[in-house]
Amino acid sequence: MAISKNEIKSRAHAFSKEWEGEERERAEKDTFWNEFLEVFGVKRRRVAIFEQAIKKLNKQTGFIDLFWPGMLIAEHKSLGKDLDAAFLQATDYTIGLTDDELPRYIIVSDFKRIRLYDLEDKTNFEFDVKDLHKEVERFAFIDGSVKRVIKEQDPVNIKAA
């Protein structure tokens, strides 16, 4: 059952308050991501798994913090840790994925900040978790409410067709 945008914003605000001041990745990251997806009305167990084993480029086994095949990888760090390094770690995991499993999105967080990468559009955006309620539209892909932009055909393509 879909939930309203106002409900998502309300849940996002409550989520931000709940996680304010947390810093322990190992102890809390799984609960963080379960509750993050719940903001958008998505039960994590229906779509994603924790600690997916994956062979990295160096042939060692890595573990994806949160993996939603074909949709996203989330990599979590302790408070204040380098989100650029978290992104590089997440992209390293994509080497071992099949084409169908490759994500469009990578999300990295350290409890205080969230950075969302759209690999298709080659964009990223970072904000404080306390502002999640202002940024929920950026995560519309999670609840399936993404607005599709339909671009006009290039006249050259129309003529060629």
Side-chain angles (χ1 to χ4, degrees):
M1 177 184 205
I3 58 176
S4 72
K5 290 297 175 195
N6 285 338
E7 176 64 18
I8 290 172
K9 287 181 181 183
S10 176
R11 289 178 180 196
H13 190 70
F15 174 86
S16 299
K17 291 288 186 196
E18 174 72 24
W19 289 98
E20 192 172 26
E22 184 55 62
E23 55 187 54
R24 301 167 304 141
E25 174 196 1
R26 186 170 299 228
E28 297 294 346
K29 71 176 172 54
D30 292 355
T31 303
F32 179 93
W33 291 111
N34 277 334
E35 292 180 5
F36 180 84
L37 291 175
E38 281 284 339
V39 165
F40 303 93
V42 174
K43 298 268 188 210
R44 192 267 318 156
R45 291 184 65 178
R46 295 183 60 86
V47 297
I49 57 174
F50 291 125
E51 300 300 325
Q52 172 66 42
I54 193 83
K55 288 286 183 200
K56 300 187 298 183
L57 192 57
N58 66 6
K59 304 292 186 217
Q60 293 185 4
T61 300
F63 296 91
I64 301 172
D65 285 346
L66 175 75
F67 180 49
W68 183 344
M71 182 66 75
L72 74 86
I73 287 176
E75 185 59 36
H76 208 96
K77 295 298 174 198
S78 294
L79 184 65
K81 296 295 182 181
D82 185 357
L83 294 186
D84 292 333
F87 175 71
L88 290 174
Q89 183 178 348
T91 57
D92 191 28
Y93 294 145
T94 66
I95 300 300
L97 299 175
T98 66
D99 287 347
D100 289 343
E101 294 173 322
L102 286 172
R104 175 172 176 174
Y105 303 96
I106 293 177
I107 305 172
V108 295
S109 181
D110 70 349
F111 294 110
K112 182 177 181 177
R113 300 167 297 150
I114 291 178
R115 190 180 301 159
L116 172 66
Y117 294 86
D118 183 328
L119 302 177
E120 187 175 297
D121 291 345
K122 297 181 174 85
T123 59
N124 69 76
F125 184 79
E126 182 176 326
F127 61 93
D128 285 343
V129 172
K130 69 180 175 59
D131 295 324
L132 177 61
H133 65 285
K134 299 175 188 174
E135 306 297 341
V136 293
E137 290 294 327
R138 295 183 185 280
F139 299 93
F141 65 91
I142 292 175
D143 69 359
S145 65
V146 174
K147 293 179 182 158
R148 304 228 182 258
V149 176
I150 300 173
K151 298 178 183 174
E152 276 192 47
Q153 286 286 337
D154 185 327
V156 172
N157 290 342
I158 293 171
K159 187 175 182 180

